[in-house]
Amino acid sequence: MTSCKIMQGSRAPRVREERVIYPLEPNFVGTYDVGEHVFFFFRETAVEYINCGKSVYSRVARVCKKDTGGKNILSQNWATYLKARLNCSIPGEFPFYFDEIQSIYKIPGETRKFYGAFTTSLNGLMGSAICSFDIDDIQAAFKRKFKEQATSSSAWLPVLSSRVPEPRPGQCVNDTETLPDTVLNFIRSHPLMDSAVDHEYGRPAYYKRNILFTHIVVDRLRFNIFSTEIEYLLFYGGTNSGQVYKIVQWQDHNKEPASTLLDILDVTPGEPIRVMELSHQFLYVASDHRVRQVDLVMCNRRYDNCLRCVHDPYCGWDKDTNSCKPYTPGLLQDVSNSTQSVCDSSVVKKKLIVTWGQSVHLGCFLKVPEVLTSQTISWFHYSKEKGRYQIIYRPDKYIQTSEHGLVIIAVNEADSGRYDCWLGGALLCSYNITVDAHRCAAPGKSHDYQKVYSDWCHEFEKYKMAMKSWERKQAQCSSRVNDSSNQNTHPNEIFHDGSLV
């Protein structure tokens, strides 16, 4: 693998004097050597669109490793330089293009796949996408027709095959100085290919509006389950706001790709991510002022419920301990969401006894994860009179909280029963409510009065004991704070008063 970092921000490679072959205002994002070629990934002003206005296209360029330039023509310039457009778009009658490549990644040790982060132009609707490209599709584009513009006012059209000299321009040879002048003259004016390189599967692996990806890295996981190999791709997309989007991709039963957003990590809040690297089960992220190390396997530290845990291929849910652990055979896992009831048996059914007339709050999250905020969460009530029905929110009875919880106003006997919270077809949490209407009724007999009085006395005694315990602990905490203020700083504390570089 050849690093692109030496080229970022540097002057474009010297290719030739004419505008058509020389990259226009290029921004290089990656360089890799594969086989007998070196591939450059960059974005530039599109020369083929310049008659219609300024537009930026993503490119992949190819040069032979043995290219030493021509003898007379293209001396000290590349003699095998070709380039093609990279197509990352949402398909349709009018495709939506993500024209500006921001980052490219190849998994170390692999030579076939390239993964890119693309954005729209910042002048219009902002959005980002992740697209993958196969080396065979890239090489195929360089074997197809060349593109040319006959005059400065003409449209760009494919070159007739009969006009292409032999040996084919761009083809690798042992000594480029032996190439005929006809080949060198042709490639000098025809480096651009007519066909674009299409992304795999005809659509992006992931796309989203109103985010701007700056970098991408990719991890590949393989599991062997019952003699069947299952493979997952984990995309980590860094943004200009310091967040990292974690996306998983897999193939369904029809060998079609599917993907879903797993998590959004606030790594360098408010600071654009400049560099991302994977190494030894860690993700390293750098902004202008800090470097962060993120563990790729954060099961119990990131997921506190079965539903989110089983969708992460790094993790699995332990039914015995009701906890999320690094995946091993025997733990629950359903990355593709093919078994929506996989977590039903692990959902804790909570029981509540509430007094007639009070209001009660039901919730599944203390704070809804950002990755779930845009998804539909519904509440259902199971009652003896109505059976199962979906809760319709209204201000006098049912209120939805900001964390997708449910507040029931002034409960009565009809509100008894089970309440289930569903995310799509998956159960998030469940409550069973019993309404105690008798505690609000006046005692009818002296025996009932004495029982109620005794219950309240016990409650009051418990309250007094809790207050005394709290006061005692508060006094102990105050004493410790005073003691610690008179001691030196702990020897393991580290302070630093400058920016981390």
Side-chain angles (χ1 to χ4, degrees):
M1 182 181 79
T2 303
S3 173
C4 69
K5 294 178 183 175
I6 59 172
M7 302 192 64
Q8 291 177 349
S10 63
R11 188 175 178 179
R14 187 182 177 203
V15 181
R16 53 156 291 184
E17 294 77 10
E18 282 78 354
R19 184 187 68 181
V20 67
I21 191 170
Y22 201 95
L24 295 178
E25 302 176 14
N27 282 278
F28 289 86
V29 300
T31 308
Y32 296 97
D33 65 277
V34 179
E36 60 182 357
H37 297 108
V38 176
F39 295 89
F40 302 90
F41 294 85
F42 60 99
R43 59 186 186 272
E44 67 168 347
T45 299
V47 65
E48 66 269 40
Y49 193 81
I50 209 160
N51 287 352
C52 303
K54 186 175 180 179
S55 185
V56 174
Y57 283 175
S58 299
R59 306 285 197 199
V60 56
R62 190 189 75 178
V63 176
C64 296
K65 289 181 180 178
K66 294 183 178 181
D67 189 341
T68 57
K71 184 175 182 180
N72 298 313
I73 301 171
L74 294 181
S75 174
Q76 297 184 353
N77 290 272
W78 287 330
T80 59
Y81 176 86
L82 299 176
K83 64 181 178 180
R85 182 183 180 184
L86 287 173
N87 171 24
C88 180
S89 62
I90 302 173
E93 183 179 357
F94 301 100
F96 185 87
Y97 289 93
F98 299 88
D99 277 329
E100 301 190 16
I101 188 170
Q102 303 293 332
S103 178
I104 194 74
Y105 189 81
K106 182 173 71 71
I107 297 176
E110 298 187 8
T111 59
R112 299 198 56 81
K113 307 291 184 182
F114 298 91
Y115 306 95
F118 295 77
T119 65
T120 56
S121 170
L122 299 182
N123 297 326
L125 177 67
M126 187 174 71
S128 293
I130 295 172
C131 288
S132 60
F133 301 88
D134 189 278
I135 188 66
D136 288 344
D137 295 329
I138 295 175
Q139 296 286 32
F142 291 119
K143 294 178 180 177
R144 299 191 183 107
K145 293 187 176 182
F146 296 89
K147 188 187 272 303
E148 71 173 355
Q149 185 185 36
T151 67
S152 60
S153 59
S154 301
W156 285 79
L157 299 171
V159 178
L160 296 175
S161 300
S162 58
R163 293 183 49 220
V164 179
E166 291 291 341
R168 181 180 170 87
Q171 180 178 320
C172 292
V173 295
N174 288 328
D175 185 2
T176 54
E177 292 186 6
T178 63
L179 288 172
D181 289 350
T182 54
V183 172
L184 297 175
N185 278 320
F186 183 90
I187 202 168
R188 182 165 63 176
S189 56
H190 298 83
L192 183 60
M193 308 310 299
D194 183 59
S195 298
V197 181
D198 288 326
H199 44 59
E200 285 191 297
Y201 311 115
R203 62 181 183 273
Y206 178 79
Y207 60 89
K208 186 173 175 60
R209 289 180 57 178
N210 299 324
I211 63 169
L212 187 65
F213 284 144
T214 59
H215 283 81
I216 183 176
V217 294
V218 186
D219 192 22
R220 186 188 300 276
L221 294 181
R222 290 188 175 98
F223 297 107
N224 193 298
I225 301 176
F226 302 118
S227 300
T228 301
E229 187 174 88
I230 300 177
E231 181 179 284
Y232 300 108
L233 284 178
L234 276 299
F235 301 103
Y236 294 88
T239 71
N240 65 335
S241 62
Q243 293 181 314
V244 173
Y245 279 64
K246 180 179 177 180
I247 300 128
V248 62
Q249 184 186 59
W250 67 92
Q251 289 191 344
D252 61 20
H253 298 299
N254 299 319
K255 301 300 181 182
E256 290 294 321
S259 64
T260 189
L261 177 63
L262 287 177
D263 207 352
I264 301 174
L265 308 172
D266 286 314
V267 182
T268 60
E271 299 177 9
I273 291 175
R274 304 297 188 191
V275 179
M276 288 175 59
E277 295 289 346
L278 287 176
S279 179
H280 303 292
Q281 293 294 301
F282 289 102
L283 170 67
Y284 293 91
V285 181
S287 66
D288 290 334
H289 302 289
R290 69 182 84 180
V291 177
R292 295 286 302 275
Q293 175 184 279
V294 181
D295 196 338
L296 297 183
V297 186
M298 295 191 295
C299 303
N300 63 329
R301 287 176 288 159
R302 198 68 188 171
Y303 309 128
D304 59 0
N305 64 66
C306 174
L307 183 62
R308 294 195 64 206
C309 176
V310 297
H311 290 167
D312 191 325
Y314 291 116
C315 306
W317 186 259
D318 188 335
K319 293 189 296 182
D320 297 330
T321 61
N322 270 340
S323 61
C324 191
K325 298 180 178 180
Y327 180 74
T328 57
L331 297 179
L332 293 180
Q333 191 181 78
D334 184 30
V335 177
S336 62
N337 198 27
S338 57
T339 309
Q340 293 186 334
S341 61
V342 66
C343 285
D344 286 3
S345 61
S346 298
V347 173
V348 178
K349 276 71 171 183
K350 300 179 181 179
K351 294 183 180 181
L352 294 179
I353 299 177
V354 298
T355 304
W356 189 94
Q358 80 174 81
S359 297
V360 62
H361 171 239
L362 312 179
C364 299
F365 303 101
L366 291 176
K367 180 174 178 57
V368 175
E370 185 177 354
V371 70
L372 298 180
T373 53
S374 61
Q375 300 192 36
T376 301
I377 295 178
S378 305
W379 284 90
F380 289 85
H381 180 210
Y382 298 76
S383 70
K384 293 180 180 179
E385 293 78 14
K386 298 181 181 180
R388 181 182 187 267
Y389 66 95
Q390 184 174 350
I391 296 293
I392 305 299
Y393 302 111
R394 64 177 200 265
D396 63 319
K397 187 63 180 178
Y398 302 112
I399 298 175
Q400 184 184 33
T401 70
S402 60
E403 305 302 330
H404 295 284
L406 173 66
V407 174
I408 307 173
I409 306 296
V411 298
N412 54 48
E413 290 91 336
D415 295 318
S416 294
R418 193 172 91 229
Y419 290 82
D420 288 347
C421 181
W422 293 84
L423 174 66
L427 181 63
L428 283 177
C429 63
S430 181
Y431 289 83
N432 202 307
I433 292 181
T434 301
V435 178
D436 184 359
H438 300 291
R439 296 183 66 181
C440 293
K445 299 178 181 179
S446 60
H447 173 52
D448 295 335
Y449 176 83
Q450 292 173 355
K451 184 178 184 305
V452 172
Y453 179 78
S454 176
D455 290 344
W456 277 108
C457 285
H458 283 111
E459 289 292 329
F460 185 65
E461 287 298 322
K462 287 166 60 177
Y463 168 77
K464 287 199 301 182
M465 291 177 63
M467 278 294 296
K468 289 180 180 180
S469 176
W470 180 84
E471 290 173 349
R472 185 169 59 254
K473 291 180 180 178
Q474 190 74 0
Q476 291 174 353
C477 289
S478 299
S479 175
R480 289 173 184 169
V481 170
N482 293 333
D483 291 342
S484 63
S485 64
N486 297 322
Q487 296 177 358
N488 294 328
T489 304
H490 192 281
N492 286 337
E493 290 190 57
I494 299 175
F495 293 89
H496 113 27
D497 54 4
S499 297
L500 179 61
V501 179

